[in-house]
Amino acid sequence: MPLPDGDSSVGHSFGLEFDGVMIKSITEISGLKIEQDVVEFKENGPDGKYQLRRLPGRPKAPDITLTRGLTGDNSFDKWIESSRFGKMSDSRKGGSVIVFDYEGTEVKRYKLTNAWPKSLEVGTLKAGDTSYLSEKLTLTCESIEVQGA
């Protein structure tokens, strides 16, 4: 069900699904970006004047960063370990970032093709600090496409 005109989805209502499994406890996703190169085409027009045209070029693949609180779940660790040791058939996964409306109905889906972990970063460890620890997983993928619900 689409959102009514003038309404927007709420930023906290999202999910992450890879290989049909919903990954829980994600607190932030950044880097969802669809971008392509720009090709400049320079020529002289029929009247002899210089013209500059800009044409769409090759699509660029984004890096997406997932943040979650540090837990006992080691799925991120296993995933990055398989890519570090070159097991790319195990590492490349298809997945989606899903945005939900206020009722929990899917509004939009961002489909990631052949995503694999590029890096894993643990939050700052500081003696006496009372903030929670987080881990950030950066994924790279071959393409991203927007799919409506």
Side-chain angles (χ1 to χ4, degrees):
M1 176 175 125
L3 291 169
D5 287 341
D7 280 358
S8 180
S9 189
V10 179
H12 67 80
S13 301
F14 63 90
L16 181 68
E17 181 181 78
F18 271 97
D19 290 341
V21 176
M22 189 65 81
I23 298 176
K24 298 180 172 129
S25 305
I26 303 294
T27 58
E28 183 179 338
I29 298 175
S30 62
L32 284 173
K33 181 165 122 175
I34 297 173
E35 185 179 16
Q36 63 190 37
D37 287 330
V38 176
V39 177
E40 288 190 350
F41 181 62
K42 301 171 187 174
E43 67 179 354
N44 286 328
D47 59 356
K49 289 185 180 178
Y50 174 79
Q51 294 177 342
L52 174 64
R53 294 193 181 167
R54 302 183 100 194
L55 304 170
R58 286 183 283 193
K60 294 181 178 182
D63 286 344
I64 295 124
T65 303
L66 314 171
T67 305
R68 72 174 181 180
L70 189 64
T71 66
D73 179 11
N74 62 356
S75 57
F76 282 2
D77 304 333
K78 287 180 181 177
W79 194 10
I80 199 160
E81 183 178 322
S82 65
S83 70
R84 287 187 70 204
F85 291 112
K87 298 178 185 173
M88 295 313 289
S89 60
D90 295 338
S91 297
R92 287 190 176 101
K93 296 184 183 287
S96 296
V97 174
I98 306 164
V99 178
F100 301 101
D101 67 8
Y102 54 90
E103 293 176 332
T105 306
E106 182 177 323
V107 174
K108 198 170 272 195
R109 180 179 287 257
Y110 299 90
K111 182 181 172 193
L112 310 177
T113 304
N114 288 333
W116 55 274
K118 178 178 161 182
S119 68
L120 179 65
E121 176 186 349
V122 176
T124 304
L125 301 170
K126 187 175 179 182
D129 193 3
T130 58
S131 61
Y132 82 108
L133 284 176
S134 64
E135 59 183 352
K136 288 184 181 185
L137 181 70
T138 302
L139 303 176
T140 190
C141 65
E142 293 176 4
S143 69
I144 183 172
E145 55 187 272
V146 180
Q147 299 176 327

